[in-house]
Amino acid sequence: MWDRPELLTATANFLYGIAAVAAMLMAILVTVHLPVFPVREVRVVGSVEQVTRAQLEAVVRGELRGNFFTLDLEAARVSFERLPWVRRVNVRRHWPDRLEVSMEEHQVLARWGEDGLVNTHGERFEAASDRVLPVFSGPAEAAAEMARGYGDFARALDPLGRRVVQLTLSPRRAWTLRLDDGMTLELGRENAQPRLSRFAAAYAASVGRMRSAPAVVDLRYPNGFAVRIRGLRWQDGKKA
């Protein structure tokens, strides 16, 4: 090897090249960690109504670490998604000093029990709301199923001017609706939507003519429904 100058020259050039690349990488690493590349602006895009400026500033000041190059975008996304009402976030860098935070909020559909909410995608989330909302009660995994059912039931009742205030799904998947006039509709497990549509079609000529809404309407019949009148008791086969 030592008596072959051309091989020595090639080896030396190779080593010099490695050293140059290593030096360049080191320089880049040092440069991107310098405080000369700060993030000067965080811009939130999207329709943001529930998340406050104070909440956003708290995340930016308290949880975002690093400069334009070293800031962990995934960690930033997770931090923003922890905020109440935030459903989904995407964070991107924009040269030379800006972060763009694309934010989607939950669109609330209903309450889940006493301490939760359900969005229009049928997803449960935790947040505070003073809106008047229907209340869902059912198995923990049934939020999406109930959101779909609520939409179908609401459309069927809309021509009657009635609104669902409470929707219950039993563990056996039996549906019960309580309406804004206090009336309870028992739909059962099967053919819930056709049963409700049949009731809506017959409403004007039946329940709609009553002085006050019945307490309960049982729709679990193949060709009709039964009503329970408020304050009416039966004793020995006669009205009491």
Side-chain angles (χ1 to χ4, degrees), residues 5 11 13 22 48 58 62 81 84 95 106 123 143 150 152 170 192-194 211-212 214-215 222 228:
T11 301
N13 289 338
V48 179
E81 286 187 350
W95 178 260
H106 292 286
E123 300 163 343
Y150 173 80
D152 294 337
S170 76
Q193 182 60 32
R211 288 186 177 181
S212 61
R228 185 187 306 161

Side-chain angles (χ1 to χ4, degrees), residues 142-177:
E145 181 182 358
M146 296 187 71
R148 291 191 297 269
Y150 173 80
D152 294 337
F153 300 149
R155 284 188 289 272
L157 292 169
D158 187 62
L160 310 183
R162 297 268 65 90
R163 180 172 54 85
V164 178
V165 297
Q166 184 171 352
L167 179 63
T168 302
L169 183 64
S170 76
R172 298 179 67 246
R173 292 306 194 267
W175 295 94
T176 302
L177 282 61

Side-chain angles (χ1 to χ4, degrees), residues 39-98:
V39 176
R40 299 185 185 279
E41 180 184 4
V42 177
R43 180 176 299 177
V44 177
V45 298
S47 179
V48 179
E49 298 178 358
Q50 301 292 338
V51 180
T52 67
R53 183 183 182 91
Q55 289 173 323
L56 295 172
E57 290 179 348
V59 172
V60 172
R61 293 175 179 174
E63 301 190 39
L64 301 192
R65 298 287 185 270
N67 63 25
F68 181 82
F69 293 103
T70 62
L71 188 140
D72 187 332
L73 297 184
E74 177 62 15
R77 180 190 67 79
V78 171
S79 295
F80 283 112
E81 286 187 350
R82 290 196 192 102
L83 292 175
W85 289 100
V86 175
R87 178 173 184 258
R88 183 179 297 164
V89 170
N90 182 47
V91 183
R92 300 174 58 190
R93 293 183 178 90
H94 281 267
W95 178 260
D97 58 4
R98 176 162 58 91

Side-chain angles (χ1 to χ4, degrees), residues 113-126:
E114 297 181 355
D115 56 359
L117 297 173
V118 180
N119 68 17
T120 52
H121 297 275
E123 300 163 343
R124 294 169 57 185
F125 67 102
E126 301 294 330

Side-chain angles (χ1 to χ4, degrees), residues 17 34 68 95 112 169 184 193 219 225 233 238:
L34 290 174
F68 181 82
W95 178 260
W112 186 267
L169 183 64
T184 296
Q193 182 60 32
L219 303 175
F225 52 84
R233 296 183 296 110
K238 300 179 180 180

